[in-house]
Amino acid sequence: MAGVVKAPGAFAITPHKVSVCILVNIYASPSQISVPFPFSSVSQHNRLGLYLLALTKSCDDILESKLDQLINQLREVGGLLDHWLTDHVTSRLSSLSSPDDLFNFFNELRETLGGPDSGVMEDDQVILDPNSNLGMFLRRCILAFNLLTFEGICHLLTNIGIYCKEAISSCSSYELRRVDDSGNDLESLSEYENMDLNLVFKKINEEMEARKRATEQVSFHLHLPKELSTLVEDIEVFADPKSEHNDKGRESSSYASGELLRDVDPNGGVFLRTNWQIQGYLMEQADTIEKHGSSFTLNAFELTLRQLQKLAPELHRVHFLRYLNNLYHDDYFSALENLHRYFDYSAGTEGFDFVPPAGCNSFGRYEIALLCLGMMHFHFGHPKKALEVLTEAVRVSQQHSNDTCLAYTLAAICNLLSEIGFSTTSGILGSPFSPMISVGTSLSVQQQLFVLLKGSLKRAESLKLKQLVAANHLAMAKFDLTHVQRPLLSFGPKTSMKLRTCPIIVCKELRSGYHLISEFCCEGSTMTADGAFSTAWLKNLQKPMGSLVLSQDNGSRNNSNPFLFFTQPSSIPGSVMQLVGSSYLHRATAWEIYGSAPLARVNALVYATCFADASSSSDAALVHVKLIQHLAVFKGYKEAFAALKTAEEKFLCVSKSRILILKLQLLHERALHRGHLKLAQQVCDELGVLASSVTAVDMELKTEASLRHARTLLAAKQFSQAAAVAHSLFCMCYKFNLQVESATVLLLLAEIHMNSGNAVVGLPYALASLSYCQTFNLDLLRASATLTLAELWLSLGSNHAKTALTLLHGAFPMILGHGGLELCARAYLTEAKCYLSDPSFSGIIFIILLRHLYLILLISRAGVPSSSFKVSQDWGCRKGIS
Amino acid sequence: MLSSESNKSLVGLIYRAAEQLVGIEQDPAKFTPSNTRFQRGSSSIRRRFRTNEITSTPPTGVAYVSTPVMEEDEAIHGDFYLLAKSYFDCREYRRAAHVLRDQTGKKSVFLRCYALYLAGEKRKEEEMIELEGPLGKSDAVNRELVSLERELATLCKNNTIDPFGLYLYGLVLKEKGNENLARKVLVESVNSYPWNWSAWSELQSLCTTVDILNGLNLSNHWMKEFFLASIYQELRMHNESLSKYENLQGMFTFSNYIQAQIAKARYSLREFEQVEVIFEDLLRNDPYRVEDMDTYSNVLYTKECFSALSYLAHRVIMTDKYRPESCCIIGNYYSLKGQHEKSVVYFRRALKLNKNYLSAWTLMGHEYVEMKNTPAAVDAYRRAVDINPRDYRAWYGLGQAYEMMGMPHYALHYFRKSVFFQPIDSRLWIAMAQCYESEQLHMLEEAIKCYKRAANCNDTEAIALHRLAMLHRELDQPEEAAFYYKKDLERMEAEEREGPNLVEALMFLATHYKTQKKFEEAEVYCTRLLDYTGPERETAKSLLRGMRIAQSGFPSMDVEHFHP
């Protein structure tokens, strides 16, 4: 009911919990010494304990497992004890035939718990600490039972009956191995049916029959006109997609009917797990959705959500998950609707566990709703709308003094500003920012971004939001990488400012982002870690390897260690891994820009090997793109295309765009090199189409497309057009402050003019490009600009050959060390030309020719490193001779 | 509260049972209009039909008992049937079903099935409370549905099912979520026996869009008119609904039911005066009526009739305290008195009695807004729209709540929804325009568009024209501003209203025409301004003076004025 929030941790006692209680009772039976009766070793005993712990914590599903699933798992855990355990559980369960039995059972349980003054405990006695996890579980069960009304106890009894019977019927239908045991159970059950006081069980039988009838293939529609029967068939579609979840070796028909059962009669035998587990489950699912994006199955999860909503209408988190699901499947309207619904119901006070619950004011936290809405608009490519909404979020967070939300909102705005090209924010980023941007709004977007980043970082640090701090450091590094720090004020001492980017600062920022991996535990989400650990533990049970390790019941202590080892990585939250991973990605990009090919490659490789599991699919695609590009530049197209093929297979259903773009890029370059101009133009056009997609304009892609367009024109010798395209591109880069790109464009302009025979016009462009490169520390680009400059000098006449040669020799270390095949080739060619144009160098023409040979080999047979190695050796020898 | 909940469930059951039994007792042979017309004459038809309508909404707790008319096959087992019927009336449903276990007559079969169904419903309601989990688990099901569906399907297959059986079959199918089949079966039921209003109302609940409605294959019968009128109202096609009801009223002149429905339709069309008259009339004829009185109380609330509302509240509480409508009326009364906490208590009670009582959710939302408890208000409104997404008032309330929290951008989403469902309500457009106008958004162009819409749909409070004029003035568009000021002025003159707005309009028009050099018009406005006291009067005087000087002192300008 409105305004009334129910106690969140409410705990209902269910048949599954009763059986866990029975197991706990076995695990810690009060009268035994050191290793209790059925266990033959300490490790066996511990394994059961671990298993029980996992059962109470794991969040891999929303529903409690059925008895047969429990029995299956017990078989994995129990090893030799398997029969004894399952028999004990089933017989204990089926002995509960009247409400009084239940009362006695829970009274017995109470004895398992040590008293609060467990100091008097004897040495070897096993007593469950009431404050341990299992102890707490037991206490909650007992409490929940004591709170039950008599009707509630009756329901519990009925449900236990159904729970047992289902297991038995399914056992007898598909399990041959356990025929003997199930036979026992059936016997014991028939005993109960002969009892006088078997009202309960009779009722259960009736119900079971009714359900069976319901699940039998619905034959009663046969009489109806065809139209009707087709209508009827519609409803049976449900069961289908869910069968993916089926990991047990059940035959499909029985399973389908079981699934239908869930829908037909949710009352019998289907119970939600504890609130804690469900929240954990939803969190895990949210992570997976975000990680996998659109490859996550929409409908199957939607079905689960629908079921969850039916079972727990007051669990509003479901709406949020639905929103996420719709968001990543690009369903704008449903996403919007569900987002609004979620925040209307929850007032932002549910979920988001980083907010201390004590700080909850009576106004609700609707600013989070705005934050989410803003991010949604961003995702759907409405940056302007997103910015408006986020601005509102900033204002509302300030009003409600929700600093955490403010910090996150600022980070989101920074992200938005840095990702989407805004030429101006005037009129959007207005008044609410004035407390942060005290200098007024006459700043450029970049300056505003810088101020915001600083503010966001400071805020996150003061609020001790470690992850946000790390993310902000990364954003800062990105900013520093591509922007020169200029003074914010137009007056005051400026001399101290070096107008260059500073790689050291970038490195520092990246490093401070990395600290997160050792500090994340302060974030306080132990809950998810616990849950994830337990889930992983249980999942490992199902792997064949797991059972193999465990069935060696030789009593050595280390047989449980392999498990711990395998599940260890999951103890670091996925989000932390992702952040740390992306710091490596940033490093790779930074080195790429600074022009150190090996370092870029190493970082990309580190990411691909260490963080592939935790990375989101788009990041993983990006790293593949980087590696393949590296291959293309240094090993030639053959290898690059081979690698691309594997990458395409890997990211088949994921948003292909990145991989697709890479493919187009490679195709375009190869076409240019081979002189297939038509093909190049075609590919280039396709790239242009991608750049002007319906979703937000990706500036990076846009520049890329027109850059390639200009290159194609250049190759087609349409110089004036190429120059025009490049010029307009430069204007755009200038407008949106894309300075790194500007350097490239300037270089291209220089090349265009050089090729059109206008070397004099080209010179200033080359020089401008050089100065850009210097400012932004783009060493490799600088080397190639130097090379172009040398070429320009050379084309001015043979008397400038010396100048050219000097320039070239200056750039040689960089080019040979980090440059790709093409660049090296060009450098050699230019060098050769220099020598040729100077008559005094005729003596070394032999060497030059050899070098040419080397070049031709390289270019024509690119991708055969062994041969090039051979040639270079060859070359070395001859050089020695001469 | 628990007792009231179970009370509600029982009330619901009896209610439905009575309806159904009434349906049984109306022997089709006797009840076809042609027959009756010959036998009893037209006035008695009216009376008969009226009782039919009344009994479809009987006062609660009245079990409608009368001797059923036997069909041939029933005669033999009439005693069993009678016994079962008595048990049934005493709410001993299972007992009734047991008595009829071997009976094969159509009526007996139906009564048995229906008794079973009701027994299941009763148990379901009980379980709903027993099983209420921490997260509001409300998945108690009627456990009889499976066997009932099986049996009825077989009957249906053998073609040995009567229209009532079909109705029950439809009901069961609906509960099981098989809506398409349920619709088919219900249509079949009402086509073969049109007087079963319960079947019609089940059918209505299954028709949520006009398309579904048009897809139904209904044979023509005057009951269909009732159905259509009712469903049009549900689908917010108020004018269509009203005309249908008015047609029907021609036939059934004294039907209270139709009268109430007409009142409701007119209420939706915001014709409050007429609604009040109708309800007063209705209460005179049917003084113990509780049904639909919540609408009456809404009217009284809007008209701020304190004493009439308190009188109505007193009356209904004497009649039946535990009806959602009664609670709602009292809630309205307290709300009018400004005692919002008490009002919420009564709305809550109404919702306890009927969880899906739409207007109570919305009204409770309004109360929470008054109490400045926005999260609770938002929650209440959201529940209302989740029950019926076409409830524009709740959408509007959501928008208002978010606007109160200073989130105009967010509020806009809801205002948009609300105007989508009710595009003819000027208040909604004005609210949306104000949202656009707010200092955070400051999207004046959009605000103007909204005000224009508001001005077009009969803006009774005349906010839109004034705001339009102001906005145009703010945007430096004097022509448009003058246009709207003039319109506003005309309107105020027509309604004989005076106030600062009038002075402002006159002032603007005077200066505007003066700068336009249309001195004659300017003079007219200036002289009108002279009737008012205050600084404007002085300004008008100086304006006049200035104009006279301009006209007399510089004739050249005059020439310019006349020959532009």
Side-chain angles (χ1 to χ4, degrees):
Chain A
M1 191 142 297
V4 180
V5 183
K6 292 209 167 150
F11 189 88
I13 186 94
T14 58
H16 175 75
K17 294 206 183 75
V18 172
S19 40
V20 175
C21 283
I22 295 172
L23 286 172
V24 173
N25 205 8
I26 297 172
Y27 173 69
S29 49
S31 54
Q32 301 298 329
I33 315 164
S34 80
V35 181
F37 151 63
F39 303 101
S40 56
S41 66
V42 176
S43 76
Q44 208 177 30
H45 191 211
N46 286 345
R47 271 187 63 67
L48 183 66
L50 263 178
Y51 171 64
L52 290 176
L53 209 58
L55 266 189
T56 58
K57 295 256 171 183
S58 71
C59 13
D60 50 345
D61 195 3
I62 53 168
L63 298 178
E64 291 191 333
S65 52
K66 306 246 176 188
L67 185 56
D68 49 335
Q69 288 163 349
L70 185 75
I71 289 173
N72 279 340
Q73 284 178 340
L74 271 180
R75 191 169 304 139
E76 306 286 347
V77 176
L80 295 177
L81 272 180
D82 141 41
H83 285 223
W84 192 88
L85 282 176
T86 49
D87 286 352
H88 189 84
V89 170
T90 43
S91 67
R92 194 84 182 80
L93 276 176
S94 44
S95 73
L96 298 169
S97 61
S98 73
D100 196 48
D101 294 339
L102 274 173
F103 276 108
N104 292 336
F105 172 70
F106 279 98
N107 272 336
E108 255 173 62
L109 278 186
R110 203 168 300 170
E111 288 161 22
T112 315
L113 287 170
D117 49 344
S118 43
V120 288
M121 185 175 81
E122 287 158 43
D123 262 356
D124 282 341
Q125 198 177 358
V126 181
I127 283 185
L128 206 54
D129 179 5
N131 293 323
S132 66
N133 272 316
L134 287 180
M136 293 278 268
F137 175 79
L138 218 54
R139 278 161 66 197
R140 294 182 80 183
C141 284
I142 294 170
L143 179 65
F145 179 78
N146 288 340
L147 288 176
L148 277 185
T149 56
F150 189 74
E151 292 96 320
I153 294 172
C154 292
H155 279 294
L156 179 60
L157 206 57
T158 319
N159 288 329
I160 290 176
I162 296 176
Y163 178 70
C164 294
K165 264 209 122 166
E166 266 175 4
I168 290 157
S169 56
S170 58
C171 270
S172 50
S173 69
Y174 71 89
E175 243 175 31
L176 295 172
R177 259 182 64 196
R178 312 234 338 119
V179 160
D180 46 349
D181 293 318
S182 60
N184 284 341
D185 290 331
L186 280 174
E187 263 175 40
S188 63
L189 231 127
S190 57
E191 263 172 44
Y192 289 110
E193 278 169 359
N194 292 333
M195 282 164 67
D196 288 335
L197 275 171
N198 59 1
L199 270 174
V200 185
F201 271 89
K202 202 177 162 198
K203 201 179 153 223
I204 293 164
N205 283 333
E206 277 169 12
E207 276 187 17
M208 295 286 293
E209 265 171 48
R211 274 128 124 287
K212 251 185 224 155
R213 267 182 268 148
T215 52
E216 277 163 14
Q217 279 311 314
V218 229
S219 57
F220 51 82
H221 298 292
L222 293 176
H223 66 286
L224 292 163
K226 206 174 179 187
E227 204 183 345
L228 291 191
S229 57
T230 50
L231 287 175
V232 175
E233 277 159 22
D234 290 347
I235 26 168
E236 288 163 16
V237 181
F238 291 53
D240 230 295
K242 266 197 181 167
S243 50
E244 295 175 12
H245 288 267
N246 184 5
D247 43 10
K248 305 270 177 306
R250 280 198 223 177
E251 51 198 68
S252 62
S253 68
S254 77
Y255 185 75
S257 68
E259 282 302 310
L260 212 75
L261 236 167
R262 278 178 163 190
D263 293 329
V264 169
D265 186 7
N267 220 359
V270 177
F271 297 98
L272 282 182
R273 298 187 175 200
T274 58
N275 196 10
W276 188 91
Q277 282 175 311
I278 288 174
Q279 293 277 5
Y281 171 79
L282 291 180
M283 242 177 227
E284 276 184 15
Q285 293 302 313
D287 280 349
T288 344
I289 293 176
E290 284 181 345
K291 209 194 278 179
H292 296 300
S294 53
S295 66
F296 196 78
T297 50
L298 171 73
N299 288 322
F301 188 54
E302 178 63 32
L303 272 176
T304 317
L305 286 180
R306 206 180 294 163
Q307 195 186 10
L308 186 57
Q309 198 186 1
K310 211 165 123 200
L311 291 172
E314 295 294 321
L315 186 73
H316 305 309
R317 200 76 197 278
V318 173
H319 300 302
F320 190 73
L321 266 287
R322 201 170 269 164
Y323 151 71
L324 277 184
N325 202 13
N326 286 320
L327 181 73
Y328 283 96
H329 288 90
D330 293 335
D331 185 346
Y332 177 80
F333 291 102
S334 314
L336 190 68
E337 190 50 46
N338 280 309
L339 183 70
H340 278 91
R341 180 172 289 136
Y342 170 67
F343 282 105
D344 285 348
Y345 276 130
S346 69
T349 50
E350 200 186 80
F352 297 93
D353 56 349
F354 56 81
V355 188
C360 171
N361 56 11
S362 60
F363 301 114
R365 262 198 288 270
Y366 294 97
E367 54 274 14
I368 299 175
L370 286 169
L371 174 58
C372 288
L373 186 65
M375 307 233 273
M376 191 197 90
H377 282 310
F378 181 30
H379 180 93
F380 281 116
H382 306 293
K384 204 168 164 201
K385 215 165 179 188
L387 204 54
E388 281 168 16
V389 176
L390 289 175
T391 314
E392 194 165 299
V394 169
R395 198 187 50 242
V396 178
S397 332
Q398 282 170 344
Q399 248 168 36
H400 295 176
S401 52
N402 184 346
D403 291 333
T404 317
C405 183
L406 186 59
Y408 276 90
T409 313
L410 289 180
I413 291 177
C414 294
N415 191 18
L416 183 66
L417 285 181
S418 63
E419 296 248 324
I420 306 282
F422 276 106
S423 58
T424 171
T425 55
S426 65
I428 308 171
L429 281 180
S431 48
F433 291 92
S434 43
M436 281 159 294
I437 307 171
S438 49
V439 241
T441 47
S442 61
L443 300 174
S444 73
V445 181
Q446 266 60 39
Q447 281 166 320
Q448 283 189 17
L449 176 58
F450 180 69
V451 175
L452 280 175
L453 267 175
K454 280 266 177 209
S456 171
L457 188 60
K458 214 188 276 169
R459 214 164 265 276
E461 263 167 0
S462 67
L463 292 170
K464 301 212 165 46
L465 303 169
K466 302 278 180 199
Q467 297 208 12
L468 190 60
V469 170
N472 272 329
H473 277 303
L474 288 187
M476 204 68 192
K478 204 166 146 193
F479 181 86
D480 286 333
L481 190 61
T482 50
H483 295 94
V484 177
Q485 288 193 18
R486 290 173 199 278
L488 288 171
L489 297 174
S490 46
F491 53 89
K494 282 190 224 168
T495 42
S496 61
M497 277 310 226
K498 269 192 304 175
L499 286 181
R500 291 188 62 157
T501 59
C502 187
I504 295 172
I505 294 179
V506 175
C507 243
K508 239 192 232 165
E509 295 288 355
L510 284 173
R511 276 209 157 273
S512 29
Y514 189 78
H515 284 320
L516 178 70
I517 201 157
S518 53
E519 288 174 356
F520 69 90
C521 44
C522 314
E523 195 91 350
S525 60
T526 47
M527 160 181 165
T528 39
D530 256 15
F533 186 85
S534 301
T535 314
W537 200 89
L538 271 187
K539 267 187 191 145
N540 274 345
L541 267 186
Q542 287 152 13
K543 286 183 194 155
M545 183 267 316
S547 61
L548 208 142
V549 173
L550 289 164
S551 53
Q552 318 164 337
D553 201 20
N554 49 14
S556 66
R557 275 192 78 88
N558 60 355
N559 68 347
S560 61
N561 285 345
F563 267 96
L564 291 176
F565 176 74
F566 284 125
T567 52
Q568 204 68 56
S570 69
S571 62
I572 298 173
S575 54
V576 172
M577 291 288 278
Q578 220 168 321
L579 260 177
V580 174
S582 73
S583 99
Y584 275 95
L585 257 185
H586 275 83
R587 274 178 211 206
T589 317
W591 284 121
E592 221 168 67
I593 286 178
Y594 289 144
S596 169
L599 277 170
R601 185 160 165 269
V602 160
N603 278 307
L605 277 176
V606 166
Y607 183 83
T609 43
C610 299
F611 299 97
D613 291 337
S615 69
S616 69
S617 53
S618 69
D619 277 359
L622 180 64
V623 109
H624 277 81
V625 166
K626 283 194 189 306
L627 288 173
I628 292 170
Q629 270 170 342
H630 188 270
L631 268 185
V633 173
F634 290 93
K635 299 271 171 81
Y637 297 115
K638 204 170 158 192
E639 290 211 355
F641 275 107
L644 181 66
K645 210 171 173 188
T646 48
E648 268 181 324
E649 275 162 17
K650 196 169 176 186
F651 298 98
L652 193 61
C653 49
V654 190
S655 62
K656 264 167 80 180
S657 56
R658 250 187 229 281
I659 301 284
L660 185 67
I661 290 166
L662 173 71
K663 193 177 178 183
L664 290 176
Q665 285 169 342
L666 288 182
L667 280 175
H668 182 252
E669 259 155 43
R670 194 175 63 172
L672 277 189
H673 283 149
R674 292 187 176 173
H676 302 158
L677 289 180
K678 274 221 174 109
L679 180 66
Q681 186 57 43
Q682 205 181 328
V683 173
C684 190
D685 287 345
E686 268 184 57
L687 209 59
V689 171
L690 280 183
S692 64
S693 62
V694 244
T695 51
V697 179
D698 186 344
M699 292 306 289
E700 207 180 323
L701 191 54
K702 206 172 165 185
T703 37
E704 172 92 29
S706 47
L707 198 67
R708 281 177 191 275
H709 185 203
R711 279 225 174 99
T712 320
L713 287 172
L714 172 62
K717 299 202 187 309
Q718 295 172 333
F719 299 117
S720 61
Q721 283 179 41
V725 171
H727 186 76
S728 69
L729 178 59
F730 178 74
C731 291
M732 192 186 80
C733 289
Y734 186 78
K735 186 177 163 197
F736 290 102
N737 263 305
L738 304 169
Q739 280 148 333
V740 177
E741 285 81 356
S742 300
T744 325
V745 179
L746 284 172
L747 189 58
L748 180 65
L749 271 169
E751 273 171 40
I752 292 170
H753 286 298
M754 179 176 72
N755 284 326
S756 67
N758 252 335
V760 186
V761 187
L763 266 177
Y765 286 113
L767 287 170
S769 175
L770 255 181
S771 80
Y772 262 109
C773 292
Q774 251 163 1
T775 313
F776 290 96
N777 291 301
L778 314 172
D779 291 349
L780 188 59
L781 197 63
R782 186 175 156 202
S784 73
T786 321
L787 175 59
T788 310
L789 197 62
E791 285 170 341
L792 281 167
W793 278 117
L794 194 61
S795 57
L796 281 178
S798 56
N799 47 341
H800 295 292
K802 225 169 193 171
T803 328
L805 209 55
T806 340
L807 279 171
L808 197 58
H809 283 158
F812 248 128
M814 190 66 202
I815 291 176
L816 293 182
H818 298 281
L821 293 175
E822 191 200 354
L823 198 63
C824 294
R826 257 180 64 200
Y828 283 130
L829 256 175
T830 316
E831 195 191 9
K833 276 185 194 162
C834 287
Y835 287 137
L836 277 174
S837 62
D838 192 338
S840 62
F841 283 111
S842 60
I844 346 176
I845 276 185
F846 178 57
I847 294 172
I848 293 159
L849 280 176
L850 271 178
R851 279 187 181 175
H852 268 94
L853 233 165
Y854 169 56
L855 286 174
I856 291 157
L857 251 173
L858 269 183
I859 292 166
S860 63
R861 302 194 52 192
V864 195
S866 57
S867 67
S868 66
F869 176 69
K870 209 170 131 196
V871 173
S872 65
Q873 261 189 340
D874 219 19
W875 175 75
C877 297
R878 298 195 187 191
K879 200 180 173 192
I881 292 165
S882 72
Chain B
M1 258 343 195
L2 269 184
S3 69
S4 75
E5 178 78 34
S6 60
N7 192 12
K8 178 210 107 192
S9 72
L10 290 180
V11 167
L13 297 178
I14 283 297
Y15 184 100
R16 259 184 259 172
E19 269 175 28
Q20 191 44 45
L21 283 175
V22 166
I24 278 193
E25 284 141 19
Q26 289 154 0
D27 188 353
K30 271 194 189 168
F31 206 63
T32 45
S34 57
N35 241 342
T36 358
R37 191 166 296 139
F38 283 124
Q39 287 171 356
R40 301 185 188 174
S42 56
S43 68
S44 72
I45 299 180
R46 272 182 209 140
R47 230 195 63 239
R48 191 77 174 99
F49 285 164
R50 218 172 72 208
T51 47
N52 177 22
E53 288 316 315
I54 292 166
T55 46
S56 74
T57 56
T60 47
V62 178
Y64 200 96
V65 188
S66 66
T67 329
V69 183
M70 298 294 167
E71 284 171 15
E72 325 77 80
D73 59 338
E74 300 287 333
I76 314 158
H77 303 291
D79 298 340
F80 283 114
Y81 182 81
L82 258 185
L83 179 62
K85 181 75 171 47
S86 320
Y87 283 145
F88 184 90
D89 292 342
C90 297
R91 303 177 195 176
E92 299 196 39
Y93 303 116
R94 286 201 187 277
R95 239 175 137 184
H98 186 74
V99 168
L100 290 173
R101 64 194 178 280
D102 297 323
Q103 304 292 315
T104 49
K106 283 182 185 172
K107 253 184 225 173
S108 308
V109 168
F110 166 69
L111 187 62
R112 181 167 52 80
C113 292
Y114 196 55
L116 276 177
Y117 172 74
L118 287 187
E121 283 293 295
K122 191 176 152 198
R123 185 68 202 132
K124 179 177 120 183
E125 303 262 349
E126 286 163 7
E127 277 184 357
M128 227 184 246
I129 298 157
E130 288 168 19
L131 290 176
E132 196 171 33
L135 293 164
K137 179 181 170 184
S138 57
D139 59 343
V141 286
N142 187 336
R143 292 181 182 277
E144 303 296 333
L145 287 183
V146 177
S147 58
L148 277 177
E149 186 181 1
R150 220 163 78 105
E151 181 172 358
L152 289 167
T154 340
L155 285 178
C156 191
K157 184 173 150 194
N158 301 335
N159 234 341
T160 53
I161 194 165
D162 61 348
F164 297 107
L166 279 175
Y167 155 67
L168 188 57
Y169 187 31
L171 199 63
V172 169
L173 285 172
K174 184 193 150 200
E175 298 268 311
K176 295 202 73 179
N178 190 352
E179 298 202 345
N180 290 332
L181 191 59
R183 262 195 294 273
K184 297 248 168 222
V185 170
L186 284 171
V187 166
E188 207 178 312
S189 167
V190 296
N191 278 343
S192 50
Y193 185 79
W195 295 279
N196 182 4
W197 183 246
S198 306
W200 285 108
S201 45
E202 289 303 326
L203 191 56
Q204 181 183 329
S205 68
L206 286 172
C207 296
T208 42
T209 62
V210 186
D211 294 335
I212 296 179
L213 178 62
N214 293 336
L216 294 182
N217 180 22
L218 292 168
S219 54
N220 271 331
H221 187 274
W222 50 263
M223 277 304 278
K224 188 184 168 188
E225 300 296 303
F226 276 104
F227 170 67
L228 286 180
S230 161
I231 201 167
Y232 282 152
Q233 193 163 16
E234 197 57 39
L235 295 175
R236 302 202 163 273
M237 299 155 70
H238 301 301
N239 286 316
E240 289 87 342
S241 166
L242 191 60
S243 66
K244 284 260 180 235
Y245 276 127
E246 276 167 351
N247 278 341
L248 283 168
Q249 205 178 23
M251 269 207 281
F252 308 92
T253 324
F254 302 108
S255 165
N256 290 339
Y257 170 77
I258 295 179
Q259 219 177 344
Q261 296 309 312
I262 288 180
K264 273 162 86 175
R266 287 197 184 277
Y267 173 75
S268 316
L269 292 168
R270 308 184 55 73
E271 299 169 356
F272 295 141
E273 302 290 336
Q274 288 153 359
V275 178
E276 198 182 354
V277 174
I278 296 175
F279 271 121
E280 275 166 12
D281 192 40
L282 197 61
L283 271 185
R284 225 170 289 130
N285 296 331
D286 187 5
Y288 298 104
R289 191 184 177 93
V290 179
E291 195 173 17
D292 302 325
M293 283 302 131
D294 49 338
T295 315
Y296 184 35
S297 79
N298 287 345
V299 174
L300 293 177
Y301 180 89
T302 339
K303 302 190 69 176
E304 299 190 4
C305 304
F306 286 89
S307 61
L309 189 53
S310 72
Y311 177 70
L312 179 69
H314 187 150
R315 201 153 145 172
V316 292
I317 215 164
M318 286 320 202
T319 314
D320 188 349
K321 183 180 167 186
Y322 291 112
R323 280 282 286 268
E325 288 93 342
S326 316
C327 301
C328 192
I329 293 168
I330 301 164
N332 263 340
Y333 175 65
Y334 275 123
S335 170
L336 192 58
K337 291 298 257 182
Q339 302 192 7
H340 302 294
E341 287 83 1
K342 279 193 182 168
S343 167
V344 165
V345 169
Y346 280 96
F347 285 129
R348 267 181 186 285
R349 184 184 291 176
L351 289 169
K352 261 287 187 213
L353 293 171
N354 178 6
K355 213 169 65 186
N356 290 337
Y357 189 17
L358 184 66
S359 58
W361 280 118
T362 315
L363 291 173
M364 193 158 86
H366 292 338
E367 295 313 308
Y368 278 125
V369 168
E370 293 289 336
M371 289 158 68
K372 303 267 179 291
N373 186 354
T374 28
V378 165
D379 189 288
Y381 285 132
R382 175 46 88 169
R383 277 166 209 273
V385 294
D386 276 351
I387 290 168
N388 184 358
R390 299 164 160 275
D391 185 21
Y392 70 94
R393 258 164 294 190
W395 285 120
Y396 172 69
L398 275 171
Q400 256 186 331
Y402 279 108
E403 203 183 5
M404 265 172 63
M405 287 186 279
M407 297 162 68
H409 199 101
Y410 212 79
L412 270 180
H413 172 78
Y414 293 109
F415 283 134
R416 264 185 227 126
K417 284 248 178 200
S418 128
V419 292
F420 176 76
F421 289 114
Q422 181 78 345
I424 56 158
D425 194 333
S426 61
R427 293 170 305 167
L428 309 181
W429 286 110
I430 290 175
M432 194 157 150
Q434 280 166 347
C435 212
Y436 275 122
E437 248 189 296
S438 66
E439 64 175 319
Q440 294 101 347
L441 290 184
H442 208 71
M443 294 157 83
L444 299 184
E445 305 287 330
E446 283 80 1
I448 284 177
K449 281 180 204 156
C450 292
Y451 278 129
K452 273 187 185 156
R453 293 292 301 255
N456 286 340
C457 31
N458 185 28
D459 168 27
T460 45
E461 288 154 65
I463 299 170
L465 285 175
H466 182 240
R467 290 300 312 167
L468 271 173
M470 299 251 293
L471 281 177
H472 279 299
R473 196 167 75 173
E474 215 170 293
L475 290 174
D476 212 16
Q477 296 163 336
E479 287 301 323
E480 286 86 348
F483 175 78
Y484 285 110
Y485 269 125
K486 234 175 172 172
K487 265 192 132 175
D488 199 24
L489 199 62
E490 278 163 22
R491 187 176 176 129
M492 281 187 279
E493 279 162 5
E495 291 171 7
E496 293 180 350
R497 274 191 293 137
E498 298 209 339
N501 285 0
L502 188 70
V503 179
E504 191 192 312
L506 288 172
M507 196 67 217
F508 177 82
L509 286 170
T511 38
H512 174 68
Y513 282 118
K514 195 193 158 213
T515 46
Q516 296 272 306
K517 304 216 166 57
K518 290 179 182 168
F519 292 120
E520 276 175 30
E521 279 102 328
E523 228 179 293
V524 173
Y525 292 117
C526 281
T527 32
R528 283 191 62 183
L529 268 177
L530 292 180
D531 295 343
Y532 297 92
T533 52
E536 285 84 5
R537 188 174 164 183
E538 298 308 313
T539 330
K541 272 184 189 167
S542 64
L543 275 177
L544 271 176
R545 223 173 291 134
M547 276 189 290
R548 289 217 183 96
I549 293 166
Q551 275 171 311
S552 57
F554 303 95
S556 63
M557 273 180 73
D558 242 17
V559 174
E560 213 173 81
H561 171 59
F562 285 115
H563 310 279

